[in-house]
Amino acid sequence: MPLTARIEAAIAGAVATGQGGDAPSRLSSALHYATAPGGARIRPTILTSVAMACGDDRPALTDAAAAALELIHCASLVHDDMPCFDDADTRRGKASVHRAYSEPLALLTGDSLIVMAFDTLARAAPDAPLRGIGLIRLLSTRTGMPHGICAGQGWESEARIDLRAYHRAKTGALFIAATQMGALAAGEEPEPWEELGARIGEAFQVADDLRDAVMDAGTCGKPVGQDDLHGRPNAVAELGVEGAIARLEDILGGAIASIPSCPGEAALAALVRRYADKLVPLTQTAQAR
Amino acid sequence: MPLTARIEAAIAGAVATGQGGDAPSRLSSALHYATAPGGARIRPTILTSVAMACGDDRPALTDAAAAALELIHCASLVHDDMPCFDDADTRRGKASVHRAYSEPLALLTGDSLIVMAFDTLARAAPDAPLRGIGLIRLLSTRTGMPHGICAGQGWESEARIDLRAYHRAKTGALFIAATQMGALAAGEEPEPWEELGARIGEAFQVADDLRDAVMDAGTCGKPVGQDDLHGRPNAVAELGVEGAIARLEDILGGAIASIPSCPGEAALAALVRRYADKLVPLTQTAQAR
């Protein structure tokens, strides 16, 4: 099965577990709406690619980990779009969940997706219990407090923000989860994989800051200028456009260099390189302005 | 250690895992605020009491389960109080989290507590992996979609509501989790314990409906009349005050009769009876009006 089809099947299978004939139908519908069609599925793609580079000897566990990670990401998008955060009307080119369904249902959709993520991992865990439990802990650590994406969002309510700590928790955390969970799903120690995830996360945050600063809403599929609007810190404000582009290229080189030795090391380096190339048109757009 | 001290220590220990010197301080503070001082801690008390009735041979796992269940309950209170649901200014006699901190921090507090609940169970799980994984599944099943408290809240966004399905998911789910998780934490099969949890949940829902209908806000510690205000179904509207009281007494008798055979069966029956007696002044208040 091609990688994208494998990941979509894993996510769809997880979301199906939240459905039932006697479940409230609008919330059921909102769970589908919030998770499909998805975006680039970058996090589960990285996770699955790392697992495959490490041998992928428990593919059902890899699939559960990939789906769980994407569910957490989707939950964070639903909650971040709500009026008390970004108040975003659109997401992935369609109405945001609270606009399409309602604020109560958006809140419940995010909550349900978080729960579903852990349920998905626990369903797959009995075949390899200690790996499964470890995967749950990696995901919870990178999602909640004090160092996960909840902490990252929480920094926006502080009077003084450390830019690197903020980005590392808000965006980096789920990329670290991606590389570490991929390794552990395949039975490898997760620790050596933290740096790769952290660097990929940094690269995407800088790219996102550049996109937010210079692209228009039609290209991006969501409202832009949000960081500036909310007075949030970002790399462009800190370094300027050219400085941010230089940092982006530096980070991606470091990411490839950090890949631990494993059977699929070369293929994984090629994957990161492909993602890096996708970011280049963006940086060219930025330089043209 | 007395039962209440044991449960408070377990909850405080779990909440402490969400803190850290480099964590955003206001969200850290909100996690404490949302979880202590607590209410009656009824769900973790039932859970721990069932585990003790079944031998409690893994007390650390019981404590993790009790804390995790209470964290989910606290998360649901924080999110339910938010403006898009009950818009409640007070909870447990103090300002609700979104009033004391802000809406963004209330949303993140609920999310963080949900994640912390699963993290707490996963931390304790390696000593008895299959029990730990089973506990995570019991909690996720009774929290998320299609049959947990998220589903219960989701029913409020439906045009047509089944009153019993609604109450069973919204309130009953976490009582079923309490009895089943208590049994499994002590190594017993959870299935025979579902009925006890379901009946306790029904009793508390009917008692809550009576309280909501007839008591004043000062006694209750939170705004009353909310069900009527939001047009939500409840037992008093369906059966009248006297009919609801008769149902309450009927349910509690059935709860005690349903307790599976176990070493601590008599003590557990006495506990349920004590809770039942606490509900009597409430029903007398109702009858006096």
Side-chain angles (χ1 to χ4, degrees), chain B residues 124-206:
Chain B
D127 284 346
L130 291 178
R131 277 194 214 177
I133 292 165
L135 288 169
I136 291 168
R137 289 234 50 225
L138 286 174
L139 187 61
S140 61
T141 299
R142 301 302 173 178
T143 302
M145 278 280 282
H147 297 130
I149 54 173
C150 290
Q153 280 286 96
W155 274 111
E156 297 179 9
S157 293
E158 295 291 317
R160 296 182 59 180
I161 309 182
D162 176 326
L163 181 66
R164 290 183 75 87
Y166 164 72
H167 280 166
R168 192 175 171 91
K170 185 172 178 183
T171 305
L174 291 192
F175 285 102
I176 296 172
T179 55
Q180 293 197 311
M181 290 174 78
L184 182 57
E188 293 296 317
E189 283 297 319
E191 284 70 21
W193 291 87
E194 178 172 349
E195 186 178 349
L196 175 62
R199 286 178 180 269
I200 294 173
E202 269 187 275
F204 274 85
Q205 183 61 54
V206 175

Side-chain angles (χ1 to χ4, degrees), chain A residues 24-154:
Chain A
S25 63
R26 294 192 67 217
L27 181 54
S28 293
S29 168
L31 295 181
H32 276 298
Y33 185 89
T35 53
R41 308 290 199 199
I42 291 172
R43 293 157 193 79
T45 300
I46 292 169
L47 188 155
T48 308
S49 301
V50 168
M52 291 169 72
C54 295
D56 196 24
D57 66 335
R58 294 271 184 186
L61 205 54
T62 300
D63 287 352
L69 182 60
E70 182 67 10
L71 294 176
I72 291 289
H73 176 59
C74 291
S76 78
L77 298 181
V78 174
H79 281 179
D80 290 0
D81 283 344
M82 288 181 68
C84 70
F85 285 118
D86 291 349
D87 197 13
D89 291 337
T90 56
R91 166 68 66 182
R92 291 171 175 167
K94 62 184 185 180
S96 52
V97 175
H98 68 278
R99 289 287 175 203
Y101 286 86
S102 72
E103 269 194 71
L105 284 170
L107 186 46
L108 290 174
T109 296
D111 290 355
S112 300
L113 292 175
I114 296 171
V115 175
M116 186 182 283
F118 292 105
D119 186 69
T120 298
L121 282 169
R123 282 173 188 265
D127 284 346
L130 290 178
R131 276 193 215 178
I133 291 166
L135 289 169
I136 290 169
R137 290 235 47 227
L138 286 174
L139 187 61
S140 60
T141 299
R142 302 301 174 178
T143 302
M145 278 280 282
H147 298 130
I149 53 173
C150 290
Q153 279 287 95

Side-chain angles (χ1 to χ4, degrees), chain A residues 31-285:
Chain A
L31 295 181
H32 276 298
Y33 185 89
T35 53
R41 308 290 199 199
I42 291 172
R43 293 157 193 79
T45 300
I46 292 169
L47 188 155
T48 308
S49 301
V50 168
M52 291 169 72
C54 295
D56 196 24
D57 66 335
R58 294 271 184 186
L61 205 54
T62 300
D63 287 352
L69 182 60
E70 182 67 10
L71 294 176
I72 291 289
H73 176 59
C74 291
S76 78
L77 298 181
V78 174
H79 281 179
D80 290 0
D81 283 344
M82 288 181 68
C84 70
F85 285 118
D86 291 349
D87 197 13
D89 291 337
T90 56
R91 166 68 66 182
R92 291 171 175 167
K94 62 184 185 180
S96 52
V97 175
H98 68 278
R99 289 287 175 203
Y101 286 86
S102 72
E103 269 194 71
L105 284 170
L107 186 46
L108 290 174
T109 296
D111 290 355
S112 300
L113 292 175
I114 296 171
V115 175
M116 186 182 283
F118 292 105
D119 186 69
T120 298
L121 282 169
R123 282 173 188 265
D127 284 346
L130 290 178
R131 276 193 215 178
I133 291 166
L135 289 169
I136 290 169
R137 290 235 47 227
L138 286 174
L139 187 61
S140 60
T141 299
R142 302 301 174 178
T143 302
M145 278 280 282
H147 298 130
I149 53 173
C150 290
Q153 279 287 95
W155 275 111
E156 296 180 10
S157 293
E158 295 291 317
R160 297 182 57 180
I161 309 181
D162 176 326
L163 181 65
R164 290 183 76 87
Y166 164 72
H167 280 165
R168 192 174 170 91
K170 184 171 179 184
T171 305
L174 291 191
F175 286 102
I176 296 172
T179 55
Q180 292 197 313
M181 291 174 77
L184 182 57
E188 293 297 317
E189 284 296 319
E191 284 69 21
W193 292 87
E194 177 172 350
E195 187 178 350
L196 176 62
R199 284 177 182 269
I200 294 173
E202 270 187 274
F204 274 86
Q205 183 60 54
V206 174
D208 201 52
D209 288 348
L210 282 162
R211 185 165 40 236
D212 194 71
V214 302
M215 288 179 77
D216 62 80
T219 313
C220 191
K222 63 175 184 176
V224 294
Q226 291 293 316
D227 284 343
D228 196 47
L229 191 64
H230 297 281
R232 290 192 295 226
N234 73 64
V236 176
E238 188 190 25
L239 304 168
V241 168
E242 289 191 15
I245 291 169
R247 179 182 275 182
L248 178 61
E249 289 172 355
D250 183 52
I251 293 165
L252 286 164
I256 290 169
S258 82
I259 296 174
S261 175
C262 61
E265 186 178 341
L268 198 56
L271 175 89
V272 176
R273 173 59 56 204
R274 281 201 300 280
Y275 276 124
D277 291 344
K278 279 191 196 168
L279 297 175
V280 171
L282 165 66
T283 61
Q284 287 172 340
T285 304

